Amino acid sequence: MTQTTAITIRRPSAAAEIFRRALASRNFVVGGVITLLFLGIAATSLFWTPLDPTKMNVRARLQAPSATNLFGTDQFGRDILSMIMTGAQNSILVGVVAVGIGLTIGTALGCLAAARRGWIEELVMRFSDFAFAFPALLSAVMITALLGPGAVNSILAIGIFNVPVFARITRGAALAVWSREYVMAARLAGKGPVRITLHHVLPNILSIIIVQATIQFALAILAEAGLSYLGLGTQPPTPSWGRMLNEAQTFIYMAPQLAIIPGLAIVFTVLGLNLLGDGLRDVLDPKLRRAR
């Protein structure tokens, strides 16, 4: 009598497969490390900084880097390292809230346009075209110039520009899902547009939205720095990387670190977020990675 031995092959879980792809993506690892460092600095500044970032000490103005002031001091004697750490908080706040506004409203409009089609889709797309006719920074400058300078108005301005970005991305991805067989089967089963959107469309386009949110986060930090540089963003005495660059212009030959340090902070933060977004695209959609 012959005995048959069954061999069971275990496939890795979806979470384990995503984790494996994440570790294999150089962009994801490097971008993730830089982003975590940026978040860690901002979190640390909530309860500790080397010195008070708003305290002036005119006697210690424009000092070179030293053991007391690791990155030196500015024209008012404030510690540059403490200002950089506190400025990271402001960048995160602006990025999270502005991207949150654009993601929430834009995703809803994109899903609505894909589900309803017709004049609703046309209206949403023409609104997006009109918004894209103006450069992002110019639109933010116009809005903050009308509403007045300040962190809240800069967040609102950047968030408004993010709305058509997410609306267009969501609508394009959602239209592809609406043409799938399982969505047609759900419609034949009597499900309405809202249930289909929540149960079938959104889960299948979530990865695209997450990647786009990461990229827009980096752009929001750049936009906030630009507005603060022009005096329309975060107002004194709250530290801001963009305003630090503006104030460094007069003293750039006397104390070049005033411009170099906040400039590098912006560059590395945006670079980390862009690498993270590119890595997330590879991790969440391996087809794109094979195509490249």
Side-chain angles (χ1 to χ4, degrees):
M1 185 175 181
T2 305
Q3 292 182 346
T4 304
T5 303
I7 300 175
T8 304
I9 300 176
R10 290 188 177 182
R11 293 184 177 180
S13 64
E17 179 64 19
I18 290 176
F19 183 72
R20 185 191 63 79
R21 290 203 300 264
L23 292 180
S25 173
R26 185 181 303 173
N27 288 340
F28 182 87
V29 173
V30 175
V33 169
I34 296 175
T35 302
L36 285 177
L37 179 61
F38 165 61
L39 294 175
I41 291 173
T44 303
S45 67
L46 290 172
F47 55 86
W48 178 83
T49 53
L51 295 169
D52 185 348
T54 61
K55 184 178 181 180
M56 299 183 184
N57 183 6
V58 180
R59 293 183 179 179
R61 65 191 299 266
L62 299 177
Q63 287 190 349
S66 63
T68 306
N69 305 103
L70 192 60
F71 291 159
T73 60
D74 69 354
Q75 68 273 22
F76 299 111
R78 297 173 297 187
D79 182 54
I80 295 177
L81 175 58
S82 300
M83 295 176 68
I84 289 291
M85 293 176 66
T86 308
Q89 293 181 37
N90 181 66
S91 296
I92 289 179
L93 176 64
V94 172
V96 169
V97 178
V99 171
I101 292 172
L103 188 150
T104 303
I105 301 176
T107 301
L109 289 176
C111 288
L112 178 65
R116 292 296 185 183
R117 306 300 299 269
W119 67 269
I120 295 179
E121 181 185 23
E122 190 70 19
L123 184 64
V124 172
M125 289 301 99
R126 296 298 74 78
F127 163 73
S128 299
D129 292 339
F130 176 78
F132 280 127
F134 300 93
L137 188 57
L138 178 60
S139 302
V141 168
M142 291 189 332
I143 294 172
T144 50
L146 290 174
L147 301 178
V152 175
N153 290 338
S154 63
I155 289 173
L156 181 62
I158 299 169
I160 289 174
F161 179 78
N162 279 328
V163 170
V165 174
F166 282 101
R168 184 177 288 272
I169 291 288
T170 303
R171 178 250 182 186
L175 283 177
V177 176
W178 273 96
S179 63
R180 300 288 177 84
E181 291 79 3
Y182 55 84
V183 173
M184 295 179 183
R187 295 175 68 180
L188 292 174
K191 287 188 177 181
V194 175
R195 291 183 63 189
I196 292 176
T197 298
L198 295 177
H199 295 167
H200 301 286
V201 177
L202 275 177
N204 284 284
I205 65 173
L206 191 58
S207 61
I208 298 174
I209 296 175
I210 291 174
V211 171
Q212 189 63 39
T214 307
I215 296 171
Q216 293 305 122
F217 195 176
L219 294 177
I221 291 176
L222 272 179
E224 191 280 329
L227 290 174
S228 296
Y229 180 85
L230 296 173
L232 298 173
T234 305
Q235 299 299 296
T238 305
S240 170
W241 293 347
R243 197 176 65 255
M244 290 175 70
L245 284 173
N246 178 278
E247 294 173 349
Q249 292 180 102
T250 309
F251 308 96
I252 192 162
Y253 294 108
M254 299 172 59
Q257 71 272 13
L258 292 181
I260 293 174
I261 301 301
L264 288 177
I266 295 171
V267 168
F268 278 109
T269 301
V270 173
L271 174 64
L273 287 168
N274 281 331
L275 288 175
L276 181 61
D278 194 54
L280 280 172
R281 186 183 291 110
D282 292 341
V283 171
L284 299 176
D285 193 349
K287 295 178 183 176
L288 290 178
R289 187 176 184 179
R290 287 197 296 268
R292 291 186 296 179

